[in-house]
């Protein structure tokens, strides 16, 4: 179903971005640096992105579970893009829950205090369900993360559930599965989006969708990109 659009786009303003060195986060960062609507981008991360831009401030940061440590970086923030994520196969279940849910809750609590009017954009996954459903442990945890956002007092809550995400970057960043799914995604676009397309959908929705609560499935994003 096509998403409604606002004829008067909302400025992204001062943006806080997490996960800027990941596949999705790096595409979101590139889109933000090219977006006139974003006046400043503060990227919290364990390592620098390697980008040099006049409106980018990179902060070496590891205390993602510490609400008070996050708060100073949120003051004056208009839009948050939370792209910090990990693959469930790379960490233990406890670590996956900590990164996906606990760190998100800390960020949300900090945002409620320091930037309560900010729009919050959450990178989730196809198959996640806020009611606790999902076909795998990872999707159930993603559903818990969505619940945390829905339970927050923030006014604008935007969730994105892409299917397969094809890397838009160089081949050095590819994983074995990408060599199968990326060509398939070209033949059957509906199975997913590229990381650059996902970034574009996230920015466009934050700027133009008039709703305060938005959950975009992969098909919604594909329709938005047409």
């Amino acid at each position: 179903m096509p998403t409604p659009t606002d004829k008067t786009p909302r400025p992204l303003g001062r943006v806080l971005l997490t996960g800027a060195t990941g596949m999705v986060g790096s595409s979101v960062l590139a889109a933000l640096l090219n977006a006139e609507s974003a006046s400043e981008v503060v990227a919290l991360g364990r390592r620098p992105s390697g980008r040099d831009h006049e409106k980018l401030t990179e902060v070496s940061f590891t205390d993602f579970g510490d609400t008070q440590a996050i708060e100073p970086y949120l003051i004056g923030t208009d839009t948050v893009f939370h792209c910090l994520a990990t693959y469930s196969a790379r960490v233990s279940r406890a670590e996956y829950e900590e990164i996906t849910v606990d760190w998100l809750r800390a960020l949300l609590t900090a945002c409620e205090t320091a930037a309560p009017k900010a729009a919050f954009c959450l990178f989730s996954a196809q198959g996640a369900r806020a009611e606790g459903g999902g076909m795998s442990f990872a999707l159930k945890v993603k559903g818990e993360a969505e619940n945390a956002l829905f339970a927050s007092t923030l006014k604008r809550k935007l969730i994105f559930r892409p299917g397969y995400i094809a890397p838009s970057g160089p081949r050095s960043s590819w994983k074995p599965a990408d060599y199968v799914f990326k060509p398939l995604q070209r033949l059957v676009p509906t199975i997913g989006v590229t990381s650059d397309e996902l970034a574009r959908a996230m920015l466009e929705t934050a700027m133009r969708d008039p709703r305060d609560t938005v959950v975009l499935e992969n098909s919604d994003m594909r329709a938005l990109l047409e």
Side-chain angles (χ1 to χ4, degrees), residues 127-138:
R129 292 293 181 270
E131 62 269 21
M135 297 177 63
S136 70
F137 162 77

Side-chain angles (χ1 to χ4, degrees), residues 124-171:
S124 187
Q126 183 173 269
R129 292 293 181 270
E131 62 269 21
M135 297 177 63
S136 70
F137 162 77
L139 291 177
K140 289 178 181 178
V141 174
K142 288 286 189 181
E144 290 178 27
E146 292 186 5
N147 268 338
L149 177 54
F150 285 132
S152 76
T153 59
L154 299 178
K155 184 179 180 182
R156 292 196 73 210
K157 308 166 188 181
L158 297 82
I159 293 174
F160 301 85
R161 295 174 176 168
Y164 167 68
I165 306 172
S168 298
R171 284 180 177 264

